[in-house]
């Protein structure tokens, strides 16, 4: 599988709607149902609708309120902020180890998904999938981010050792990328996520980046968000400059 390491090429892939998340098989229960029901593995209008459910959950939680108790797992903190009183960390971990297809033991994840639906008094529907998905997305990646930020500054971690180093996309048309890279229709690529792209880009950019950084540490979060805000402004300035040059051409 080709790796897209160049930041310009990676940004092009992440912002190009002709590159989609590789589809997952449908499922009526367990982790297969979860994958098929969350925004993370969806495209088009399904992705927009399901992502909106996750954003709504996160918007109800002020990032600054996510102060962890001692060495509390970030999932426990987030669950409490979501109004979930029952202990769910162990179940979420079991789901997270197989959340991405082909990465873990699906049978363990299947059992955990069904148990968590019961704990949440939910159903096999998209709102329940969104709640589970928010918790799972905060599991391993946020815990890893917390560990790495203990000893290194945010900018260094996000540039050199991000908790989610890459993501997959599949080309729906043959596309030429910056740097002379060509991707054929149907081909999957592995896109590096680091630096300014550590939380993704485009319509699939992580909606919970402020929450993840706040779970890591509020002081650290302020610094990291300031770094990211400066990067966002720099990208906006470049975009405006490109438009101005296009107007003059």
């Amino acid at each position: 599988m080709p790796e897209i390491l160049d930041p310009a090429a990676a940004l092009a892939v992440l912002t190009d709607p002709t590159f989609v998340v590789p589809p997952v098989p449908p499922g009526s229960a367990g982790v297969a149902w979860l994958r098929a029901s969350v925004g993370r593995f969806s495209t088009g209008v399904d992705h927009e609708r399901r992502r909106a459910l996750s954003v709504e959950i996160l918007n109800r939680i002020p990032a600054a309120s996510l102060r962890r108790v001692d060495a509390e797992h970030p999932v426990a903190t987030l669950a409490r902020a979501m109004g979930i009183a029952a202990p769910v960390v162990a179940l979420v971990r079991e789901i997270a180890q197989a959340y991405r297809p082909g990465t873990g033991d699906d049978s363990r994840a299947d059992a955990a998904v069904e148990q968590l639906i019961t704990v949440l008094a939910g159903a096999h529907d998209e709102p329940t999938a969104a709640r589970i998905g928010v918790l799972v997305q905060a599991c391993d990646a946020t815990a890893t981010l917390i560990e790495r930020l203990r000893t290194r500054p945010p900018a260094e971690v996000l540039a050199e050792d991000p908790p989610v180093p890459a993501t997959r996309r599949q080309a729906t048309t043959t596309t030429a990328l910056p740097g002379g890279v060509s991707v054929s229709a149907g081909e999957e690529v592995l896109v590096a996520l680091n630096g300014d792209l550590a939380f993704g880009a485009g319509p699939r950019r992580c909606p919970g980046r402020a929450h993840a950084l706040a779970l890591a540490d509020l002081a650290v979060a302020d610094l990291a968000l300031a770094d990211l805000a400066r990067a966002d402004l720099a990208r906006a300035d470049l975009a405006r400059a490109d438009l101005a040059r296009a107007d003059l051409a």
Side-chain angles (χ1 to χ4, degrees), residues 38-40 47-63 78 82 126-127 129-131 133-135 137 202-209 211:
V38 294
R40 170 70 177 79
H47 169 255
E48 294 173 7
R49 182 182 67 254
R50 293 164 180 171
R51 178 185 171 89
L53 291 171
S54 299
V55 170
E56 183 182 357
I57 292 168
L58 292 168
N59 283 346
R60 292 198 294 264
I61 305 171
L78 186 57
M82 291 169 61
E126 290 184 355
R131 296 182 77 196
V134 166
L135 293 170
Q137 291 287 128
R204 305 188 74 93
R205 189 178 192 185
C206 176
R209 65 173 184 162
H211 297 80

Side-chain angles (χ1 to χ4, degrees), residues 139-192:
C139 189
D140 294 343
T142 305
T144 299
L145 178 64
I146 290 168
E147 187 60 33
R148 292 174 182 173
L149 289 177
R150 294 185 196 281
T151 56
R152 287 178 287 172
E156 179 182 320
V157 171
L158 296 179
E160 300 176 6
D161 199 14
V164 180
T167 188
R168 292 186 181 191
R169 293 291 186 271
Q170 184 178 53
T172 57
T173 63
T174 297
T175 306
L177 298 175
V181 177
S182 179
V183 182
S184 301
E187 187 174 20
E188 290 188 20
V189 294
L190 196 63
V191 186

Side-chain angles (χ1 to χ4, degrees), residues 29-247:
V31 72
W33 162 79
L34 180 63
R35 293 182 193 125
S37 304
V38 294
R40 170 70 177 79
F41 302 107
S42 304
T43 58
V45 294
D46 285 341
H47 169 255
E48 294 173 7
R49 182 182 67 254
R50 293 164 180 171
R51 178 185 171 89
L53 291 171
S54 299
V55 170
E56 183 182 357
I57 292 168
L58 292 168
N59 283 346
R60 292 198 294 264
I61 305 171
S65 70
L66 295 176
R67 185 182 296 276
R68 291 178 301 119
V69 178
D70 298 325
E72 182 179 53
H73 194 281
V75 167
T77 308
L78 186 57
R80 186 168 59 251
M82 291 169 61
I84 301 168
V88 296
V89 174
L91 292 175
V92 174
R93 279 176 164 162
E94 285 291 88
I95 299 167
Q97 57 86 28
Y99 190 48
R100 288 181 294 114
T103 59
D105 185 338
D106 278 14
S107 63
R108 286 165 45 199
D110 288 343
V113 166
E114 297 306 314
Q115 290 179 58
L116 190 52
I117 290 173
T118 300
V119 169
L120 298 178
H124 290 89
D125 56 22
E126 290 184 355
T128 303
R131 296 182 77 196
I132 297 174
V134 166
L135 293 170
V136 173
Q137 291 287 128
C139 189
D140 294 343
T142 305
T144 299
L145 178 64
I146 290 168
E147 187 60 33
R148 292 174 182 173
L149 289 177
R150 294 185 196 281
T151 56
R152 287 178 287 172
E156 179 182 320
V157 171
L158 296 179
E160 300 176 6
D161 199 14
V164 180
T167 188
R168 292 186 181 191
R169 293 291 186 271
Q170 184 178 53
T172 57
T173 63
T174 297
T175 306
L177 298 175
V181 177
S182 179
V183 182
S184 301
E187 187 174 20
E188 290 188 20
V189 294
L190 196 63
V191 186
L193 297 178
N194 53 18
D196 293 344
L197 301 179
F199 288 92
R204 305 188 74 93
R205 189 178 192 185
C206 176
R209 65 173 184 162
H211 297 80
L213 292 166
L215 284 165
D217 181 272
L218 289 181
V220 166
D222 290 340
L223 292 172
L225 285 171
D227 288 345
L228 289 168
R230 283 191 290 272
D232 289 343
L233 288 173
R235 281 196 295 273
D237 288 342
L238 286 173
R240 283 192 291 270
D242 288 342
L243 286 172
R245 284 193 292 271
D247 289 341

